[in-house]
Amino acid sequence: MENLVVKNNIIINAPAAAVWDALINPEQTKKYMFGCKTVSDWKVGSPLLWSAMYEGKETVFVKGTIVDIVQQKLLKYTVIDPNATMADIPENYLNVTYELSGPDGEVNLTVTQDGFEGAADGEKRYQDVYNNGDGWNPILVQIKAVAESGA
């Protein structure tokens, strides 16, 4: 399998602090990540959970670990669906990286997802994320709206 990477970016007309808040604030992430809030202490090596109320109880839909974090610049974490049938082993986790660059007030937010090649169901998971070329674009549009509304 060739190197499978999904990479998208968007320009957000807001301060880096507002973009960063949209990425890590649980009340903000619920607005664009299918109702899921983030649960983490945002330190390297710490767990990151994406959870939401489902059928009357708090349910984790995605989990992972913070790999790297530089406030208002970089957020990299691993992800896996804990409800999937694949084994919960490091090889089956994918990587998600958010990079913020450019002048404050005109942030270029790039998101990259990779690690599909060695993961269980890698090709299918890639196709699900790639989404006929849209990739992360629908979510980036929503992140932009959240960050710009708070700017």
Side-chain angles (χ1 to χ4, degrees), residues 12-24:
I12 301 177
N13 298 303
V19 177
W20 189 254
D21 186 62
L23 296 178
I24 70 165

Side-chain angles (χ1 to χ4, degrees), residues 7 21 23 43 48 72 83 111 127 129 131 149:
K7 187 171 188 170
D21 186 62
L23 296 178
K43 292 179 172 59
L48 172 59
Q72 298 182 25
N83 307 299
V111 63
Q127 290 302 329
V129 173
N131 192 23
S149 72

Side-chain angles (χ1 to χ4, degrees), residues 43-66:
K43 292 179 172 59
V44 171
S46 292
L48 172 59
L49 305 177
W50 297 84
S51 69
M53 291 300 289
Y54 179 70
E55 295 181 351
K57 65 178 183 158
E58 195 70 23
T59 303
V60 174
F61 289 95
V62 176
K63 72 175 196 169
T65 302
I66 305 292

Side-chain angles (χ1 to χ4, degrees), residues 21 25 49 67 70 98 103 113 120:
D21 186 62
N25 180 335
L49 305 177
V67 174
V70 179
Y98 290 102
Q113 190 163 3

Side-chain angles (χ1 to χ4, degrees), residues 77-106:
Y77 56 89
T78 62
V79 291
I80 194 170
D81 176 354
N83 307 299
T85 57
M86 72 192 76
D88 186 346
I89 56 174
E91 295 80 18
N92 288 335
Y93 282 71
L94 304 176
N95 304 302
V96 176
T97 305
Y98 290 102
E99 295 173 275
L100 291 71
S101 61
D104 202 32
E106 191 178 298

